[in-house]
Amino acid sequence: MTGTIIDFEPQTRVIARLAEAVTDERLKDPTPCPDLAVRNLLGHLIGLAAAFRDAARKDLGPTTDTPPTDSVPDIGPGRRGELPKVLDELAEAWRDPAAWTGMTRAGGVDLPGEVAAAVALDELVVHGWDLARATGQTYVPDPAALRVTYDFLLAAVDEPSRGEIFGPIVPVPQDAPLLDRALGLSGRNPGWTP
């Protein structure tokens, strides 16, 4: 990302819009995330938004120390208000240039602020697709967030820890849309259907 500050708000608004359209009847539906129903995916989005909000603020503690695989997330009765609120806070926290510098923590891993921002955008873009696909909604991610996600995933292809974070790469034609190529790098099949 080389020192460029990306506005998270366009992508957080996409997520909020998708989540608002999810009816209670869809909460048990499967998602592209193995073992996660829509309700768990929404819970994961709430948790990751809080964790990366706090990582941006350098407010390290329970939200930034807990690995995302420690438990299956779920939602509470206030999900309709909770997710948009924490997404707004996430976007606001990453507007501060200090969020992008120095070290921080997310998921129990210490990392540079700029890398934490890329991870957060990747989570929002990929899980936005997961939510849209699982609930039959149209998905158009923020172009800047998608570009950061693709570049981040492409850079991680040869990382030794890649297998701990992402599924096996799904081959996607090089002339496919950028979103499909990013999804393939994340271990998702762009053609997935419930």
Side-chain angles (χ1 to χ4, degrees):
M1 290 175 30
T2 62
T4 302
I5 294 178
I6 304 294
D7 185 3
F8 277 52
E9 186 175 5
Q11 184 61 29
T12 60
R13 286 184 184 235
V14 169
I15 301 292
R17 178 187 57 77
L18 292 168
E20 180 60 29
V22 175
T23 62
D24 289 346
E25 295 75 31
R26 305 293 312 247
L27 294 177
K28 293 182 181 177
D29 288 357
T31 71
C33 304
D35 303 322
L36 294 186
V38 169
R39 69 178 305 112
N40 307 120
L41 179 57
L42 289 169
H44 179 60
L45 284 164
I46 291 168
L48 77 85
F52 283 101
R53 171 203 63 203
D54 293 347
R57 294 174 177 170
K58 313 274 194 301
D59 183 11
L60 309 182
T63 60
T64 62
D65 290 345
T66 306
T69 56
D70 273 9
S71 65
V72 176
D74 204 351
I75 53 170
R79 77 168 169 99
R80 293 210 182 269
E82 187 177 5
L83 183 56
K85 178 181 181 292
V86 75
L87 287 169
D88 286 347
E89 293 168 352
L90 171 70
E92 183 60 34
W94 285 101
R95 285 190 185 104
D96 183 351
W100 298 75
T101 62
M103 295 296 289
T104 192
R105 184 178 311 126
V109 177
D110 293 328
L111 62 169
E114 189 176 45
V115 173
V119 173
L121 287 167
D122 167 67
E123 291 278 330
L124 293 171
V125 168
V126 173
H127 288 315
W129 178 82
D130 292 335
L131 184 59
R133 188 53 63 108
T135 57
Q137 298 184 65
T138 301
Y139 183 57
V140 181
D142 170 58
L146 175 58
R147 174 47 66 181
V148 168
T149 296
Y150 178 77
D151 291 346
F152 170 74
L153 291 167
L154 187 61
V157 165
D158 294 323
E159 288 293 321
S161 62
R162 187 197 184 288
E164 300 167 21
I165 303 169
F166 308 108
I169 292 173
V170 175
V172 175
Q174 283 303 306
D175 62 350
L178 186 61
L179 176 59
D180 288 0
R181 288 182 280 147
L183 292 169
L185 290 173
S186 78
R188 282 160 173 77
N189 178 350
W192 184 91
T193 57

